[in-house]
Every structure is written in C-alpha cells, then in structure tokens.
Amino acid sequence: MKWSLGSKRGAPDGLWMKCEACDNLVYKKVVEDAHHVCPECGFHFRISAAKRIEYLLDDGSFVEHFSNLESIDALNFKGQKSYKDKLLKAQKNTGQREAAVFGTGAIAGQKVVFGVIDANFIMGSMGSVVGEKIARGAELARKEKLPFIVVSGSGGGARMEEGILSLFQMAKTSAAIKRLQDAGGIYIAILTNATMGGSMASWASLGDITIAEPKALLGFAGPRVIAQTVRQELPAGFQTSEFLLDHGFVDMVVARKELRQKLISLLRYTCREMPAYVKQSGRQTSKVEAPKVASR
Amino acid sequence: MSGVDRLNVPEFERPIVELEMKLESARMDLANARDEAARVSKEEEVKHLEKDLKKLTDSVFGNLDPWSRVQLARHPNRPLTTDYIKVLFDDWQELFGDRAYADDPAIVTGLGTINGVKCFVMGHRKGKTLKERLECNFGCAHPEGYRKALRKMKLAEKLALPIISFINTPGAYPGLEAEERGQSQAIAENIREMATLRVPIICLTIGEGGSGGALGIGVGDRYLIMENSYYSVISPEGCAAILWHDAKRASDAAKVLRLTPNDLIELGIMDEIVPEPYGGAHRDPRKAMDIVKATLLRHLGELQTIDIDTLLDQRYEKLRKMGKYQEVPMATA
C-alpha cells in the first residue's frame, strides 16, 4: 500500500484526515483507535450516537427505547429552508430519526438507562422529541431504579424551529429529572462539544455527577452574542470544559478514552449492588467496602 | 401618565398619540371659547377629531400583527413588575440578595398582601429611569438574580405562601461574568426546583417572555399571559439574524416564531390570556391593574382549594404534555 501525504486538500479519502482544531494531517486509523481524538492536539472529534454507545456500554447490551418518536413541524416553520426539509436532511445524514437516542444498556454488567444527544443531528438541538426522550428516560430510570446517564452534544440549545415548544422542553426535562432525583435516583450528565443554551440551562446542568469531555464548548449564551454584549474580546478558553471546572460547575474533565472506566468507577459508588473495587496486585486480597457516605 | 414622553411610542402608535394631542388641545380651545360662534366651530372640530380617532385606533389596534404585539410588550410606558407590586400589594416587604454573591436588581423579590391574601411575589425588574434601567440591565438577570429568587421561593415554601411571578425580560444576561458564575446552572436549578415547590405558583407574563431568562422564574401551576405580551425561545431580532442574516427582518421572524398569546394557547403552553385595556395596558394602567388583580385573585382562590400533592401532579402533567411530535408505527418491535 502506498501512502502519499500530498497536499492537505488532496488527502486520500479514507486514510488520512485533517484535524479541524490543529490543522494537522493525521492517520485516520490512529484517530479511530483513540476513540476519535486527535493524536496531535487531543481534540475530541464529533462522534455518532452509535459510536458513543459502542465506546461506553458493554458490547451488544444496548436496547433502544422510544425510537418511534418523530418530530413534526408543528409551527409550520419557514426560514430559508423549511423545518421539514431540515429534518429530512438530518435523518438522511445520520440514519437516525432524531438527535436523541435512548435506551437501556449495561456498563460492566450494571444495567443503566442511557441516552445520547447526537450533535450531528441539527446541532443536537432540543425539540419536542429530544425533550420527550429525556423525560421518558428519566421516568424509566425512576421506575426501574436504574442509573440515568445522558451524553449531551447539544450546541443548538433549544431548537428554534419548534419555538415555544422547544423552550418548554427545558421545564419538562428538568421536572422529570427532579422526580428521579427526589426518588433517590442518580443522574450522571456527560457534557460533550458543544452543549449550549436551553440544553445547558436545563437537563445538562442538573447531573448529580457531571463529567465533561476536554475542551468542549459549554455555556449559556453563544460566544458571539456575548462578544457583542460586552464589546470586548473573550478570554482564551472561555466556556470550555476546563473553564467550567475552574469555576466549579463540573465534577471532572475526562478524556474520551477513559470515560468508560471512569463511569464504572463512579457506578460502583452510586449503585449498592455493584461490588466494590478489589485491588488486584500486591498481597491485599480482602474486599474493600465502599465508603457509606458516597452510596445513595 | 404624567412625566412620560407621550411620543416615545412605537411607530404604529404615533399617529394615534398625535391625534389624541390634537383632540386634547381642541377640547381646551372649546372650554375656553369666548363666544358662541367659536364654541360651535370648536365643537364641530372636536366631534370630527373624535370620529377620526375612533377610526384610526380601530384600524391600528383592531388587527395587531405579531411584531406590533412585541413592540407593545416592550412599550416604554407599559406598566412594569414594580408598578404591579406597588399598586396591587399592601404591606410590601422587599427581600434582597442571594447570600452567595450579590443582590441582582434585575429580579425583585418580596412579601406582599393582595386583598388580604399573603403572598410571595417576584418578577423581573426593568427599571423606569435610564439609571435604573442600566442598573437592572434592562431586565436581564445574572445568576445571582435567579439564585436570589430560588432562595426566597424556598422561604415562601416554608411559610406556605403562594407565589406570584411577574415575567418581563428580554432574556437572561449574556455576559462574561454571567457565564463565570454559572448562568445555565442557576436557571436550570430554578426550573427544576419550581417543578416541585410545595406551594401554588402563578406565572404571569406581563410583557416580554424572553427564553430561558423568563423560564428561570416561570414554572408553576398557572401560565397566564397579558394580551400584548409575547413568549419566545429567541428574540425576533435574534431569529431574523439566524434565518436571514438580517436582524431588521424581526417582524417576519415574529410571525414565524408563533409567539403571540393566541399562538401560545393554541400550542398548549399558556392557560389564559389576560385582557388589556384597548390599545394596551399603557393606555389605561389603572384599568390594567384592576383586571390583573381580579385575575390573580381568582386563580389564587382556585389554587388554594387544591390539595398540594394533587397540584404537584397537575403541575407535572401539564409540563409532560408540552411539545408536539408523532409516534410512528414500528414495523418490528
């Protein structure tokens, strides 16, 4: 096989790709092995809901729920292109009916209710269906007494094309999460690039534990809107995962490749039925009890 | 209203105000008429002007388009949260501060009594004078505003006081410090907590229902909206900028967004439209106050008779029903 670096523009399809963050040409296989993270700069590429499920859940454990929910153009919304066309295009591009993919699955054998908001589908914005799936997911987790894990990629915030209906999904999702949490349920929010606006100002900010992928854009108002308001340049790293960590709004920033292991560790503490970690190496073989305070 | 610039009104209302001023001066002339001939001629003029005014107001206010409603919602002379508090509530005790960072004047909170009913009242504050408006960021709250509201709402819950929320904001403040202090997190927590607060909550939109900034104090048991108000996921200007890269097409965006009270009822979000005096609350603030007072008292009365657990179930069910989608039949399970 012959590889040619060639010009960036002429990179042979399928073997090399250009990192959108650092502009380096990187070997696609290396990127894929790193769970779609740039080996040069650590940029986390946008991945599909299917990939997310593959990376985080036990093989073959995922069963999709609520997959028959489909968006409708309730407002008969007409911009430069109609909402209907936008939906069709997104469906065609992603092969998904909507941005949200929810269901049940297992992580190291622990059953969970798991959902992804796929940023590839109309920027992962939240319309009625995304809101409904989050609410149903939270209700299912409450009923089945399972941990609720949502991976957000919702840079679009509340979906403009559904107007007021999408705005009130903020209230619907938050209320369902509240009921889950009041019942003692655990909700882990995993924030990925990008999560903004109405999504960030509701369900994405309500995790009992909140994890962010490195360098994700996370915030309320869009950086351009803010720049216009304050009429000054925004500091480097503004509204990134690390910025939120610094200001106390996420529990941890975890690289994609370590996410599954991190979830397993956390689930050990959040789920009574999961056995505590037992140190493998060395002489110690006795079972270590998980600290009482950390178990809910 | 005294002390306000009467011509500081939306474009479509200006001819009306001008004609009204003309009519007033004609009436003055009539009152001061020296002889019978002058009296008759002035009387004739007043009659004419009255007829013209009726025709003009009917043509303008009779069919307001969505953009005109937005402009009325933002009307500089429109009664504000602080006006409703001042006129409708006795023994007002304002409470300040979020106990964490600051007091945000863009949200006002306090205890008040309406017709003998003790309440907790909150709302967005836009300010009257330019100085006040600047202090309040024109009604755009920071995280400390939302946290202040939540802290006082918890007090209301403890005291078993019903909550009345006056909503009137262009949106939550989009700024550097607001992000640093967790604007999204503050709004999210308010929305979540209001969903299960164990006291009745009435949300009344009196002007602008600007997106998450409105919803941050806007979850409850009754969603009421005044006739010339709007509630929207994005400002018409912002929407126009996204759709057509032209903020000046806000009037087109206002149509597309379905943000008028009638639309909001049709879409299953709002429960009731509170009527306003002809041409808007600013044209007869006293009458607007009376209508709002009667409406609030009616709902307070209704809500107080419902057992709180039932009320919370209803509050949840209402939210759960919000949104429109279809469930396609599945070929395979």
Side-chain angles (χ1 to χ4, degrees):
Chain A
M1 199 179 277
K2 223 166 108 185
W3 297 329
S4 155
L5 268 171
S7 70
K8 287 186 180 183
R9 206 175 274 277
D13 219 31
L15 289 178
W16 297 84
M17 59 184 288
K18 193 173 126 179
C19 173
E20 56 195 272
C22 68
D23 267 4
N24 276 308
L25 262 193
V26 285
Y27 188 36
K28 223 170 173 178
K29 175 116 190 8
V30 175
V31 172
E32 273 163 25
D33 286 348
H35 290 190
H36 290 86
V37 173
C38 174
E40 299 289 332
C41 71
F43 179 76
H44 283 53
F45 294 102
R46 190 187 281 179
I47 57 173
S48 66
K51 277 278 167 219
R52 193 60 79 174
I53 289 163
E54 180 193 323
Y55 292 155
L56 293 180
L57 300 185
D58 296 351
D59 284 348
S61 69
F62 184 72
V63 179
E64 188 172 0
H65 288 230
F66 332 124
S67 62
N68 64 330
L69 300 188
E70 188 162 61
S71 293
I72 55 170
D73 184 12
L75 269 57
N76 195 13
F77 193 94
K78 290 212 165 48
Q80 274 184 343
K81 51 188 163 199
S82 75
Y83 179 37
K84 271 192 197 116
D85 291 344
K86 226 173 165 176
L87 283 169
L88 283 173
K89 199 178 154 207
Q91 287 178 335
K92 209 177 138 214
N93 287 347
T94 60
Q96 288 164 205
R97 216 188 288 281
E98 245 299 332
V101 178
F102 275 66
T104 53
I107 296 176
Q110 168 64 48
K111 199 175 174 195
V112 296
V113 176
F114 182 83
V116 185
I117 314 299
D118 190 336
N120 296 296
F121 194 106
I122 316 187
M123 289 161 76
S125 58
M126 170 170 60
S128 299
V129 170
V130 170
E132 182 68 19
K133 286 194 182 182
I134 295 170
R136 287 193 191 186
E139 284 170 346
L140 180 66
R142 177 171 176 241
K143 194 170 137 242
E144 306 279 330
K145 298 193 189 317
L146 295 174
F148 185 44
I149 302 173
V150 180
V151 185
S152 75
S154 189
R159 191 175 293 172
M160 187 173 74
E161 291 83 354
E162 289 189 32
I164 196 74
L165 297 174
S166 62
L167 183 71
F168 272 80
Q169 300 309 306
M170 293 170 70
K172 181 163 98 180
T173 54
S174 303
I177 287 165
K178 170 76 165 153
R179 283 204 157 187
L180 166 70
Q181 291 173 327
D182 280 354
I186 190 92
Y187 165 42
I188 299 177
I190 302 173
L191 311 180
T192 77
N193 193 27
T195 306
M196 302 291 291
S199 296
M200 196 60 190
S202 60
W203 52 274
S205 284
L206 296 174
D208 293 295
I209 298 172
T210 305
I211 305 171
E213 277 193 342
K215 293 179 190 161
L217 179 70
L218 309 169
F220 178 67
R224 253 188 311 163
V225 176
I226 296 174
Q228 273 169 19
T229 318
V230 299
R231 293 181 190 288
Q232 70 187 64
E233 216 157 290
L234 300 169
F238 180 62
Q239 290 185 319
T240 58
S241 309
E242 294 73 17
F243 174 89
L244 264 72
L245 185 71
D246 279 352
H247 288 89
F249 293 105
V250 298
D251 287 291
M252 47 181 84
V253 175
V254 180
R256 188 175 289 161
K257 195 129 197 211
E258 279 128 43
L259 253 181
R260 180 178 150 88
Q261 197 49 52
K262 190 60 90 175
L263 279 177
I264 294 171
S265 291
L266 291 171
L267 287 172
R268 276 198 203 106
Y269 291 97
T270 63
C271 306
R272 281 169 206 278
E273 53 285 6
M274 254 178 99
Y277 175 73
V278 180
K279 210 170 179 183
Q280 298 293 327
S281 61
R283 280 162 171 258
Q284 193 186 355
T285 49
S286 63
K287 196 178 159 189
V288 182
E289 285 294 326
K292 275 244 157 55
V293 280
S295 62
R296 267 186 81 155
Chain B
M1 291 174 85
S2 61
V4 294
D5 181 0
R6 293 184 57 183
L7 281 168
N8 182 17
V9 296
E11 203 68 44
F12 67 87
E13 198 187 355
R14 194 158 300 153
I16 295 176
V17 177
E18 279 167 0
L19 199 55
E20 280 174 339
M21 289 164 87
K22 219 162 142 189
L23 177 61
E24 272 168 42
S25 88
R27 279 182 181 144
M28 290 268 265
D29 290 349
L30 174 63
N32 298 331
R34 293 229 179 107
D35 53 46
E36 186 60 15
R39 203 185 61 79
V40 170
S41 106
K42 275 292 156 194
E43 214 169 48
E44 208 45 34
E45 192 189 336
V46 166
K47 254 186 213 154
H48 258 288
L49 286 170
E50 281 172 343
K51 223 169 119 190
D52 289 352
L53 183 63
K54 170 104 180 44
K55 228 163 107 185
L56 184 64
T57 45
D58 282 352
S59 78
V60 172
F61 296 134
N63 47 15
L64 290 168
D65 66 355
W67 179 237
S68 305
R69 297 244 184 239
V70 171
Q71 287 173 291
L72 282 179
R74 296 170 176 170
H75 200 292
N77 303 338
R78 191 169 174 82
L80 303 173
T81 298
T82 42
D83 295 313
Y84 288 104
I85 289 175
K86 202 165 148 193
V87 174
L88 301 184
F89 293 88
D90 305 316
D91 197 19
W92 170 246
Q93 303 299 324
E94 185 166 354
L95 303 169
F96 296 89
D98 72 342
R99 302 301 188 278
Y101 180 77
D103 178 68
D104 184 354
I107 286 183
V108 54
T109 58
L111 307 167
T113 306
I114 181 167
N115 221 33
V117 183
K118 291 178 269 183
C119 296
F120 167 75
V121 186
M122 62 183 173
H124 299 98
R125 173 158 43 201
K126 283 189 167 179
K128 289 265 175 196
T129 62
L130 181 63
K131 185 171 169 279
E132 279 174 10
R133 279 172 207 248
L134 286 167
E135 276 167 10
C136 302
N137 288 308
F138 302 89
C140 299
H142 276 74
E144 49 271 26
Y146 293 104
R147 295 194 177 112
K148 158 168 132 180
L150 182 56
R151 190 184 164 89
K152 314 305 174 197
M153 281 191 269
K154 297 269 181 189
L155 175 66
E157 185 179 43
K158 185 170 165 178
L159 303 175
L161 298 176
I163 295 174
I164 297 171
S165 182
F166 290 99
I167 292 159
N168 190 16
T169 179
Y173 191 79
L176 204 114
E177 295 188 348
E179 297 289 327
E180 283 177 340
R181 297 199 286 273
Q183 186 71 286
S184 348
Q185 202 259 349
I187 291 172
E189 276 203 16
N190 278 25
I191 294 172
R192 171 172 69 181
E193 296 307 310
M194 289 182 87
T196 55
L197 220 55
R198 296 184 66 79
V199 285
I201 305 173
I202 299 174
C203 305
L204 170 62
T205 305
I206 58 167
E208 296 189 89
S211 196
L215 205 55
I217 57 166
V219 176
D221 303 297
R222 291 288 187 273
Y223 299 93
L224 316 177
I225 185 162
M226 294 187 71
E227 194 182 338
N228 296 304
S229 302
Y230 77 94
Y231 212 129
S232 180
V233 68
I234 186 171
S235 72
E237 290 88 344
C239 178
I242 292 173
L243 287 182
W244 304 293
H245 306 286
D246 183 4
K248 291 197 189 80
R249 289 187 64 183
S251 64
D252 295 325
K255 277 195 203 95
V256 170
L257 283 166
R258 306 276 312 271
L259 46 63
T260 69
N262 278 327
D263 290 324
L264 300 167
I265 294 260
E266 214 173 283
L267 291 166
I269 302 294
M270 290 292 150
D271 297 315
E272 187 179 314
I273 301 174
V274 182
E276 293 184 28
Y278 196 53
H282 65 288
R283 295 180 66 81
D284 192 347
R286 200 161 303 174
K287 193 170 166 195
M289 298 281 170
D290 286 344
I291 299 170
V292 167
K293 183 174 183 178
T295 308
L296 290 177
L297 288 173
R298 172 163 51 84
H299 284 287
L300 279 172
E302 277 174 27
L303 291 170
Q304 302 277 34
T305 65
I306 307 172
D307 148 77
I308 188 65
D309 288 312
T310 310
L311 197 63
L312 289 182
D313 282 343
Q314 289 174 359
R315 191 184 298 170
Y316 187 71
E317 286 313 313
K318 162 97 188 171
L319 290 174
R320 279 304 276 112
K321 285 202 191 84
M322 287 182 180
K324 294 198 185 296
Y325 53 85
Q326 61 186 359
E327 306 202 32
V328 289
M330 301 294 279
T332 49

